[in-house]
Structures are given as C-alpha cells and as structure tokens.
Amino acid sequence: MKKTLYGVFPLCAAAALLLTGCGQETLSSETRANLLGTVITVSTYETISAEDYRAVFDVVADIDKRMSANSTDSELAAVNASSGIAPIAVSDDLYGLIQEACDFAAYSGGAFDPTVGAVLALWKQDGEFAVRPTDAEIEEKRALVNYRNVIFEDGTIFLPKAGMRLDLGGIAKGYACDQALACLQERGITSALLDFGGNIYAAGTRPNGDPWRIGVTVPLAGESGQSVCALNVRDCSVVTSGGYQRYFTEDDTTYHHIIDPQTGYPAESGLLSVTILNQSSTQADALSTACFVLGLEDGMQLLESIEGSEGIFITADYTIYATSGLTGALTVTDDRFTLADESTK
C-alpha cells in the first residue's frame, strides 16, 4: 500500500513540459521573467483582471525575495551567513518549507538534500551553473552536506557547522507554484495553467470539460520545443528534472546541474529525465530531483510507495518507463523513444 506524504502546506527544471492540443478556445496569459530564476506564465480561459495577475505575481516575487539562495539579502541568505554562529528567526512559511525539504531528504535517503548548497555553490559563477570545482574542493564541502544537522527551534533555523548552506532550488519553485494557485483560487479562478519554467500546474479543465493535455519535452539538449510523450491531466502538478536543462562542457566533459548530495558531482543515474505527477507541486518538485538522483529502479520504488505520486522515467537508451498508476495513459509522440512493456518493469 502506498503511504501519503503530508507536507507542511495544504496545497499540492528549465522548460520541460509543453501544452498540446488546446483546440479553438482562447487562453488569456501573462508572463513575467526573472522570478525564481526562470520565466513564469499564468494562463486561463476564465475572465481574469490585471489586478488578479498582479496579485499572483506579487506572491511569487515575495517568495523569490525571501527564499533565494543566490540573493545576499534573503532570509535564506541570512540563515546561511550565520552557519556555525547563531540561529536565525525566519518567516513561518520558510521555516515550514525547510522542514518539508528535510522530510523529503529523509524519505529519499538523502538523494534530495537541501543542505547541498555548500557543494552546489562551487559549481556556480554569478548564480549560473558554469564552473567545474576541483576534487579537493568538492570533498571539503561535501562534509557539510547532511540534512540531519539542521536545527529547528521556536521559529529559528540553525546550521551548526560553519560553511553549511541551504539551497531550496529543488523545492521552492514548486512551493511558489502552489501558492500562486492558491491565490488564483481565492479570487475565484478554478481553471488555469501555471508554467513555472517547466513546473506545470494544470488546474481544473478546459471550457468544454476536457482535461489539459501536457507533453513531456524530449530530454535532449536543443530539442525543448518537441514532446516525447503526452498525457491528459487535471488538478495536478507535472514537474520534470533532467540533465539536458542546464549544463556546461569543459575539457570535452559535459556536466549537468543536478548534483548528487552524497558525491558532490552531477548525478550518474542512467536517466535523461524524470517527470513527476502529484497534486502538490512542492512535493513533485522535490521528488523529481530525488528520483533523478536515485535512478530508475530506486526512483520507481520510491514513487510506488507514496500515495498520489506517479512518474515517467526516460533512460539513456531512449526507453520510457511509467509507474503503475499511469498504465495506458501515455501516448508516445517521438518514434525515437519506446514505451517499456509492462512486463519489463
């Protein structure tokens, strides 16, 4: 029997998903750039005012301002700057999100770990994944990665070892998507498509009652405009993590941005991408990273144990695997890829 992951929040990486087959209805959309390090688009068939759009993007901007690991004046930055020195009081939702991130670290056996920030920072230059650290640097910072060391007490967060860093890049975008959806719903908007740089939330249905049809992008560099498979969804978040999204090449070696917390290097799991379906975008965001690091077998096992979570795994040999709840739901749209036979799972 699957277990249910109860997060702190009641509501349910780059362009990884595509909206397909929209028919003749007209979508109203508004897009904002430079939030959460990506481009965000909110679309709906319902009547929505400029004030409604502004309210939604204000919610996202506030989360970005407080939870960014790249900013020097965010709440999260203050926690990191005080590592090994003193606890820092943070807002209730940031406190809860860090707790939830550590819970997912435990669920995944450390495949997802918000304390990976110390290592991840080595791979970044001006906030972008672009630098290959030395092995010695990675080994030094890897000793600081352990979600179990984060101390929660009376609304404060303390990182007890100097140099420890939290990075919520694998969960904050999902959380912001959930909160943006909540803002829309509070304003009476029940049908909408939120695209947070590939983190998709398909709320409600299209005007004729049909579900949204979402295509998963071909997980190959330079082919983000093409889908590899498609499925119908409603009231669901669809989040993809893949090594083709952000990467750089140095000395003929390509390094992608999904770091395995236990090695300090880009994950080598034999996967091109993982797509998670979950009513919670927060959970889907964290699970997509964890499952990509875990690989096909362990990632599938994790998802099959969690109530309300399904996944699509694409391996390096161009085979598509899906969890049991998606049996018969996928349509392959690129003949280079093959859907695994159910008997092979």
Side-chain angles (χ1 to χ4, degrees):
M1 178 181 295
K2 288 191 176 185
K3 64 182 177 182
T4 300
L5 297 186
Y6 292 100
V8 177
F9 306 99
L11 293 171
C12 109
L17 301 148
L18 304 167
L19 179 65
T20 66
C22 293
Q24 300 302 312
E25 304 99 334
T26 301
L27 276 169
S28 171
S29 301
E30 184 161 328
T31 298
R32 300 283 177 88
N34 301 321
L35 288 175
L36 302 168
T38 191
V39 175
I40 294 173
T41 301
V42 176
S43 306
T44 179
Y45 291 114
E46 299 181 61
T47 300
I48 183 169
S49 68
E51 180 183 354
D52 291 333
Y53 277 125
R54 184 166 57 251
V56 172
F57 286 112
D58 283 349
V59 165
V60 178
D62 175 65
I63 292 171
D64 187 30
K65 180 179 179 180
R66 293 183 294 108
M67 301 187 184
S68 171
N70 294 326
S71 171
T72 58
D73 58 359
S74 67
E75 287 185 56
L76 191 64
V79 173
N80 290 338
S82 293
S83 62
I85 301 173
I88 295 294
V90 298
S91 53
D92 290 345
D93 62 339
L94 178 56
Y95 187 86
L97 188 60
I98 295 172
Q99 284 185 317
E100 188 162 15
C102 289
D103 286 343
F104 273 107
Y107 295 140
S108 66
F112 173 88
D113 192 326
T115 65
V116 74
V119 170
L120 192 55
L122 294 174
W123 292 86
K124 291 184 177 181
Q125 185 175 59
D126 298 326
E128 297 296 327
F129 188 80
V131 178
R132 202 304 191 184
T134 66
D135 294 341
E137 289 172 329
I138 292 172
E139 186 63 24
E140 176 187 0
K141 297 301 183 182
R142 194 172 61 85
L144 300 173
V145 179
N146 191 336
Y147 66 93
R148 300 179 186 85
N149 291 334
V150 181
I151 297 174
F152 301 88
E153 186 173 357
D154 298 328
T156 67
I157 303 291
F158 182 44
L159 307 178
K161 294 186 177 182
M164 283 187 71
R165 284 176 57 91
L166 289 166
D167 190 302
L168 300 178
I171 196 170
K173 191 160 58 170
Y175 172 64
C177 186
D178 284 337
Q179 299 310 302
L181 175 64
C183 180
L184 282 173
Q185 292 174 333
E186 289 168 1
R187 291 170 173 267
I189 307 299
T190 59
S191 175
L193 190 77
L194 290 78
D195 183 347
F196 280 49
N199 285 44
I200 301 291
Y201 204 105
T205 65
R206 290 162 50 188
N208 63 1
D210 286 346
W212 300 92
R213 188 157 181 80
I214 302 297
V216 178
T217 288
V218 172
L220 303 174
E223 298 192 30
S224 61
Q226 305 297 321
S227 68
V228 63
C229 61
L231 70 166
N232 296 327
V233 298
R234 59 186 298 173
D235 295 319
C236 182
S237 183
V238 188
V239 178
T240 295
S241 288
Y244 64 96
Q245 297 168 339
R246 282 186 290 158
Y247 59 90
F248 68 91
T249 300
E250 183 176 303
D251 296 330
D252 297 325
T253 300
T254 298
Y255 302 95
H256 65 74
H257 76 289
I258 304 177
I259 300 298
D260 183 341
Q262 299 186 42
T263 67
Y265 296 88
E268 297 181 358
S269 60
L271 295 175
L272 296 177
S273 72
V274 175
T275 298
I276 304 297
L277 289 80
N278 192 298
Q279 279 193 321
S280 163
S281 193
T282 306
Q283 293 187 10
D285 203 5
L287 285 171
S288 69
T289 300
C291 288
F292 186 88
V293 172
L294 286 170
L296 177 62
E297 184 175 347
D298 290 341
M300 290 274 281
Q301 184 176 349
L302 175 64
L303 286 187
E304 293 286 11
S305 73
I306 299 173
E307 187 69 34
S309 292
E310 302 295 343
I312 302 165
F313 295 72
I314 303 179
T315 56
D317 64 358
Y318 288 26
T319 304
I320 303 170
Y321 296 82
T323 49
S324 57
L326 295 178
T327 299
L330 299 183
T331 301
V332 178
T333 54
D334 187 318
D335 59 14
R336 293 175 296 176
F337 293 79
T338 303
L339 186 62
D341 185 84
E342 297 300 316
S343 64
T344 66
K345 293 183 185 179

